[in-house]
Amino acid sequence: MQDLFANDSERAGRMTIQWADFFLDYSKNRVNTETMSLLYELAEEVKLQEAMTAQFTGEPINQTEGRSVGHTNLRDFDSMKPEVAEILQKMKAFSTAVIDGSWKGFTGKSIKTVVNIGIGGSDLGPNMVCEALRYYKNHLDVRFVSNVDGDHVMETLKDLDRETTLFIIVSKSFTTQETLSNANTIRSWFLERAEEENIEKHFAAVSTNLEAVEAFGISSENIFPMWDWVGGRFSLWSAVGISIACSVGYDKFEELLRGAHSMDQHFRNTPFEQNIPVTLALLSIWYNNFFKTESECVVPYSQYLHKLVAYLQQGLMESNGKRTDRNGEPVTYDTGTIIWGSTGTNAQHAFFQLLHQGTKLIPTDFIVFAESLHGKTDHQNKLLANCFAQTEALMMGTYGSEVENNFKVFGGNRPTNTLLIKKLTPHSLGALIAMYEHKLFVQGVVWNIYSFDQWGVELGKKLAKDTLRAISEKDVTGIKNKSTLGLLGKLKG
Ligand code: F6P
């Protein structure tokens, strides 16, 4: 890369994409013009445009589950399905009443705390967005309980007042062990000081499984339906995002959706060469399949985005961690990359040593906002300087300079993308999330795998049932594995 830059003064200007408030600089990658055109040709060859049309027009592209993939419909204000518009109105009314205090708890007090009970896509998306939009939040304390770890539940409940707390159970299936266990524990905790008839003022739910929600005792006005054409990890745009609407208000939630929709339009209507998600996906494929890199790092230079990586891990790894192609045959090439990372500048003082001088090649996305929210110019200048300097250091290394010993040599030539966004707003955040959604979609098309199912999570869930019986009922008949039996034997009681 050092030579590519030295020999081509136009490179930095050419390998960029400006779209709305987004500026992508991908010049610090191990590619030249020919590489890029071959990668774009690859996208043509796998009929990416047709695949995009199939997704956006509702074909059942999630074939192993016989479903269409419609999360982009949830934010398509140009041609919104009536059932989606209806739920948005319901979310607006609900969140407004909770925020303005007209929603009263069972003793007549307004709500102060909202607790989202869910896991995976029913937690990571809303949780990440609520953190990312903290600057815009109102007085409500919005919390998340996800882990089946009872300590997580009890820590969350510890200082809560039943009279002023609203619980939202979010589970697409309403069968998820963690969520139902947590919901039942919280329900019992609530009923220690309240009556069954008070539940309707303190519990709401989001699910496709309306019967199970009603059986739980939640009144129909407090139920937000969702649809099987929305995958869990793509569901924050649906009523799963109700905690976001409560935290920042419905209007800002809608801005988030509109931002995502603008990225959808960019993705659908822009030639591949100027298309941000397509370009990012192809670069990622370039390293994954031609350099055999195993992982990709994502470093947002914004503390507000401290949950982005965990969110992307589900999005990208649950979608593309597959080894069977669309013909049902084992793939003969690598698919889903491992996603990891943390916020800058913290990450610089933790794992950046390995990025700079380790033996592994780790392509990294740097994400940074040109403007800060609190207007601390000195801090913002330092944040930006660190972000840009790191990408330069990773690319240049100590190339061309005298270094006193090998310990101080930086090889450079380490690839990065820099995404400079004007400002962190609900709109730009929506676009950023949608950008990664489309990136993973493109990768799934090129790798010829089905990105929208997640069979890989089922086996562990099944085994956990037998293991739970072994632990709670001391019945080990279903347990065959000696190691597991050994572990069970070590439990007291
Ligand atoms: O663990 C797999 C998974 O099905 C995710 O895809 C999903 O987001 C999560 O569990 C939670 O599922 P649910 O919303 O049905 O409780």
Side-chain angles (χ1 to χ4, degrees):
M1 274 197 277
Q2 295 99 340
D3 293 338
L4 290 173
F5 268 95
N7 299 332
D8 178 0
S9 58
E10 309 287 298
R11 179 181 174 86
R14 201 174 51 245
M15 293 191 169
T16 59
I17 300 176
Q18 174 80 59
W19 167 78
D21 287 348
F22 282 47
F23 178 74
L24 171 67
D25 178 349
Y26 64 93
S27 63
K28 294 187 187 96
N29 277 291
R30 293 187 183 184
V31 291
N32 57 23
T33 312
E34 188 190 3
T35 326
M36 290 313 294
S37 47
L38 288 169
L39 286 169
Y40 291 123
E41 256 177 54
L42 173 63
E44 299 285 356
E45 198 176 314
V46 298
K47 300 193 169 47
L48 176 60
Q49 196 69 53
E50 277 177 36
M52 284 156 73
T53 306
Q55 182 192 1
F56 280 96
T57 56
E59 283 181 36
I61 62 166
N62 173 2
Q63 282 196 23
T64 60
E65 295 180 314
R67 295 172 184 170
S68 58
V69 173
H71 52 277
T72 56
N73 291 316
L74 300 168
R75 56 213 190 196
D76 184 357
F77 289 90
D78 300 330
S79 53
M80 188 160 274
K81 293 175 188 246
E83 65 264 40
V84 175
E86 191 189 323
I87 296 308
L88 283 177
Q89 284 315 306
K90 187 168 169 160
M91 290 173 75
K92 182 175 184 172
F94 180 89
S95 56
T96 305
V98 174
I99 296 164
D100 72 18
S102 54
W103 181 289
K104 302 287 184 208
F106 71 104
T107 56
K109 293 184 185 166
S110 299
I111 297 300
K112 288 188 185 148
T113 309
V114 174
V115 182
N116 184 97
I117 310 168
I119 197 165
S122 299
D123 165 75
L124 289 164
N127 195 348
M128 180 273 286
V129 172
C130 283
E131 286 300 304
L133 298 182
R134 255 190 122 70
Y135 177 77
Y136 302 92
K137 80 183 290 304
N138 53 39
H139 62 283
L140 292 172
D141 173 11
V142 179
R143 303 183 183 189
F144 292 82
V145 180
S146 52
N147 202 329
V148 76
D149 178 358
D151 292 341
H152 187 197
V153 184
M154 296 323 288
E155 269 304 318
T156 310
L157 296 180
K158 205 159 75 176
D159 56 344
L160 285 188
D161 178 354
R162 290 166 180 79
E163 296 173 38
T164 57
T165 303
L166 179 67
F167 297 97
I168 306 174
I169 309 168
V170 183
S171 177
K172 180 178 167 187
S173 59
F174 223 78
T175 58
T176 304
Q177 184 196 56
E178 291 89 337
T179 303
L180 292 190
S181 303
N182 291 344
N184 278 311
T185 298
I186 289 173
R187 188 178 189 273
S188 306
W189 171 88
F190 178 77
L191 291 174
E192 282 168 20
R193 310 259 167 83
E195 303 300 323
E196 289 270 350
E197 71 222 39
N198 303 140
I199 284 190
E200 65 177 23
K201 304 238 190 278
H202 293 269
F203 285 81
V206 183
S207 186
T208 55
N209 187 351
L210 304 184
E211 275 175 28
V213 179
E214 276 173 36
F216 187 89
I218 293 185
S219 79
S220 55
E221 298 97 80
N222 296 356
I223 302 177
F224 293 87
M226 57 187 291
W227 307 277
D228 71 2
W229 43 267
V230 179
R233 55 193 174 274
F234 307 96
S235 64
L236 71 88
W237 321 102
S238 71
V240 168
I242 187 69
S243 52
I244 303 170
C246 287
S247 180
V248 294
Y250 174 81
D251 290 348
K252 295 230 161 27
F253 178 69
E254 197 176 302
E255 277 176 41
L256 179 85
L257 267 51
R258 288 185 186 277
H261 180 56
S262 64
M263 179 57 79
D264 297 342
Q265 288 174 314
H266 165 74
F267 178 56
R268 268 190 96 171
N269 304 325
T270 310
F272 293 163
E273 293 76 9
Q274 283 301 308
N275 195 312
I276 296 179
V278 172
T279 301
L280 290 176
L282 293 171
L283 285 166
S284 168
I285 287 165
W286 175 237
Y287 295 111
N288 185 66
N289 295 96
F290 295 88
F291 289 82
K292 302 283 173 212
T293 56
E294 298 248 307
S295 80
E296 266 170 35
C297 188
V298 176
V299 185
Y301 277 68
S302 163
Q303 202 52 35
Y304 284 119
L305 295 190
H306 71 110
K307 296 216 170 198
L308 180 69
V309 173
Y311 169 77
L312 292 178
Q313 284 176 328
Q314 186 196 16
L316 278 71
M317 291 162 82
E318 196 166 80
S319 298
N320 287 336
K322 315 271 167 77
R323 57 185 305 123
T324 303
D325 72 15
R326 294 185 185 193
N327 305 313
E329 300 299 328
V331 294
T332 52
Y333 41 85
D334 272 317
T335 62
T337 50
I338 300 161
I339 306 295
W340 62 286
S342 176
T343 54
T345 59
N346 299 8
Q348 293 174 200
H349 298 270
F351 57 75
F352 268 44
Q353 164 69 41
L354 186 145
L355 296 186
H356 284 287
Q357 287 191 315
T359 54
K360 296 184 169 54
L361 185 66
I362 302 174
T364 304
D365 285 355
F366 284 73
I367 302 167
V368 69
F369 298 96
E371 287 173 32
S372 75
L373 294 177
H374 287 275
K376 288 275 173 211
T377 310
D378 176 49
H379 286 267
Q380 180 65 7
N381 291 348
K382 287 172 182 161
L383 192 69
L384 284 160
N386 272 283
C387 175
F388 297 165
Q390 286 294 331
T391 67
E392 188 178 323
L394 285 162
M395 193 279 286
M396 276 307 285
T398 44
Y399 182 83
S401 37
E402 291 265 312
V403 180
E404 49 192 286
N405 61 46
N406 281 346
F407 299 110
K408 296 189 177 171
V409 171
F410 289 69
N413 203 23
R414 317 238 158 179
T416 60
N417 297 306
T418 307
L419 188 60
L420 175 63
I421 305 171
K422 188 162 177 269
K423 190 173 167 182
L424 175 56
T425 62
H427 197 275
S428 65
L429 180 68
L432 177 67
I433 301 167
M435 179 193 87
Y436 278 107
E437 287 180 346
H438 297 316
K439 173 185 170 180
L440 77 85
F441 168 80
V442 173
Q443 292 183 298
V445 174
V446 175
W447 289 326
N448 196 32
I449 53 175
Y450 288 122
S451 297
F452 295 103
D453 58 24
Q454 56 286 315
W455 300 108
V457 299
E458 296 305 322
L459 180 61
K461 288 185 192 172
K462 189 164 153 272
L463 290 185
K465 284 196 183 137
D466 285 340
T467 316
L468 177 59
R469 197 174 331 111
I471 294 170
S472 49
E473 296 169 28
K474 309 274 176 293
D475 170 9
V476 293
T477 45
I479 309 295
K480 309 258 175 328
N481 180 266
K482 289 265 166 48
S483 162
T484 310
L485 283 168
L487 290 165
L488 290 167
K490 286 282 169 198
L491 297 178
K492 287 199 191 119

